[in-house]
Amino acid sequence: MFKKDKLQIIPFKTYGTLTDLYLRGRALEDENIDLHKKGLWSVFVNTWKRFETDEIENAALKIELKNEVSLYVKTDSEGYFLVDEATENLSKNISKDGWLNYTIQYENPAAFKNEIVANNTFTGEMLVALPNTEYGVISDIDDTILHTGVASKFKWRAVFNTFFIHVMSRKALEGAADFYSQLHRGKLKNNCNPIFYVSNSPWNLYKYLDFFLKKNNFPKGAILLRDLRHLFDKTPKPKIPHKYHEIQNILDTYPKLSFILIGDCGEHDPDIYLDIVAKNPNRISAIYLRSVKNKKKMSRVTQLFKDYTEVDVLLVYNTNEAIRHAKDCGFI
């Protein structure tokens, strides 16, 4: 007799407002990935499991909020679910640090004949910018807070780190967690400024990156990754780059809020941030760009901002420089 596969639901940390509900996640078979288990073979096997996923398509799911409101949604062909709708004021559901908690479950677990739902209650969270918020922070992940190597030739270092380095061994850039925590607390140290982590990494790495952020004491924030396109994907490619699209959506969601952008000099962050500033005048308070060990890329970025005066831009060689600048600007 074949052993039944266990099912799970992975709710992503999303963001919304007091009157706009935006919940997202994915229903998958539980591959029993142990993020604490070390060893080269275990790391490789776990990475394989993350990308060789068994999605649960067209699954009926039930979402419950604290105010006894129930929502129903179905997963798509890749197991993703999405709730994006206006709702009544959610202020009674929001914690003091700006999070809405909800539970999600398979509506009819008995319908899965070859699988088993061992624990049919999964918890999700949605971030809301509170009224006393000073500003928001939108940050890249790769080579901005996590040593990745996306600037290396053919990105070989990024591939090696992702597939062969255990998450417990991955290093955060020195001082980054403290800097982000100070920005999260703000100048008054109690404002819970929202943090948004935006990356070009696929959703398959969501739990991996969420674990890394927790382990390294980064403030909790929305995590925004992208769909992984396969070789035979016939759907139209997005016209706007993923990171640009996500940042603009955040700004559109909170039209009265200013933002600090944090990225690195290795890829396209400088160009994207310049376009964001141009499209959204008076919305960006400062830009911080981490230096990378690539002279050609650093030279390009230095020239790009040589005579730039629209907003403060700091090329960060040491986190203490960013902290001093943030203090001088009254952010912390």
Side-chain angles (χ1 to χ4, degrees):
M1 183 176 180
F2 292 105
K3 184 178 179 181
K4 287 188 174 183
D5 295 318
K6 291 183 179 180
L7 301 186
Q8 64 176 334
I9 303 173
I10 304 175
F12 304 142
K13 288 185 175 71
T14 57
Y15 66 93
T17 71
L18 294 176
T19 55
D20 292 288
L21 202 62
Y22 185 85
L23 313 177
R24 190 176 184 185
R26 202 175 192 189
L28 301 164
E29 286 188 10
D30 189 347
E31 300 291 348
N32 194 30
I33 296 175
D34 186 354
L35 289 169
H36 292 87
K37 194 173 183 179
K38 295 187 177 182
L40 185 61
W41 178 248
S42 295
V43 173
F44 181 77
V45 169
N46 283 342
T47 302
W48 171 260
K49 288 179 178 180
R50 288 189 193 97
F51 288 91
E52 198 285 308
T53 54
D54 294 305
E55 303 88 5
I56 311 303
E57 61 178 320
N58 298 318
L61 306 178
K62 179 182 180 181
I63 297 171
E64 292 186 327
L65 307 181
K66 285 184 178 180
N67 58 357
E68 299 182 354
V69 171
S70 296
L71 304 167
Y72 299 87
V73 65
K74 275 195 171 184
T75 60
D76 65 15
S77 61
E78 295 184 42
Y80 291 104
F81 72 85
L82 174 64
V83 174
D84 185 5
E85 61 182 60
T87 184
E88 62 184 37
N89 195 295
L90 296 167
S91 57
K92 294 182 179 179
N93 295 67
I94 308 298
S95 67
K96 64 180 181 179
D97 54 350
W99 288 93
L100 176 144
N101 292 297
Y102 66 93
T103 59
I104 184 167
Q105 58 186 256
Y106 289 97
E107 189 179 351
N108 184 17
F112 301 100
K113 296 180 180 179
N114 298 319
E115 293 89 10
I116 182 172
V117 184
N119 176 17
N120 195 23
T121 302
F122 304 88
T123 303
E125 297 175 288
M126 183 188 84
L127 178 61
V128 173
L130 298 175
N132 64 336
T133 294
E134 293 174 279
Y135 52 81
V137 178
I138 302 175
S139 173
D140 177 43
I141 295 178
D142 302 324
D143 284 340
T144 300
I145 60 176
L146 166 64
H147 284 289
T148 304
V150 292
S152 60
K153 192 172 185 180
F154 305 121
K155 300 186 180 182
W156 70 268
R157 174 58 66 181
V159 173
F160 180 84
N161 286 336
T162 300
F163 278 83
F164 297 104
I165 303 298
H166 193 276
V167 65
M168 298 287 284
S169 301
R170 299 296 297 274
K171 301 295 184 183
L173 273 72
E174 186 177 358
D178 176 49
F179 180 43
Y180 282 57
S181 295
Q182 291 191 55
L183 291 173
H184 177 56
R185 292 192 297 268
K187 188 173 183 179
L188 301 179
K189 299 184 178 181
N190 63 355
N191 280 349
C192 296
N193 296 321
I195 311 288
F196 304 86
Y197 300 101
V198 182
S199 172
N200 280 325
S201 295
W203 286 112
N204 306 65
L205 292 175
Y206 174 81
K207 295 186 88 171
Y208 182 95
L209 293 174
D210 188 38
F211 185 90
F212 170 84
L213 292 169
K214 291 177 183 175
K215 170 186 171 290
N216 288 279
N217 300 315
F218 282 90
K220 185 166 65 172
I223 300 175
L224 309 168
L225 309 182
R226 66 175 179 88
D227 294 340
L228 181 64
R229 294 180 65 89
H230 53 74
L231 292 174
F232 306 103
D233 194 336
K234 295 182 180 180
T235 58
K237 290 184 178 181
K239 294 181 180 180
I240 302 174
H242 160 73
K243 195 176 293 185
Y244 190 111
H245 173 74
E246 292 292 352
I247 294 173
Q248 189 60 55
N249 274 352
I250 295 169
L251 268 67
D252 290 343
T253 300
Y254 308 108
K256 296 181 180 180
L257 196 61
S258 61
F259 286 86
I260 293 171
L261 304 180
I262 308 177
D264 66 85
C265 299
E267 290 289 290
H268 305 294
D269 290 351
D271 306 277
I272 291 173
Y273 292 178
L274 278 174
D275 286 346
I276 289 292
V277 172
K279 188 176 179 181
N280 303 272
N282 304 316
R283 296 292 308 283
I284 307 303
S285 300
I287 296 174
Y288 295 98
L289 293 169
R290 285 276 187 182
S291 64
V292 295
K293 294 180 179 179
N294 184 305
K295 291 183 179 179
K296 186 176 181 180
K297 292 180 183 292
M298 289 302 300
S299 177
R300 185 188 80 86
V301 175
T302 300
Q303 285 298 119
L304 191 64
F305 291 100
K306 183 179 179 182
D307 300 312
Y308 189 72
T309 58
E310 289 297 313
V311 301
D312 270 5
V313 178
L314 183 68
L315 302 189
V316 181
Y317 294 87
N318 182 290
T319 302
N320 289 331
E321 297 171 344
I323 292 175
R324 284 195 297 271
H325 180 274
K327 287 181 178 178
D328 291 341
C329 292
F331 301 144
I332 59 177

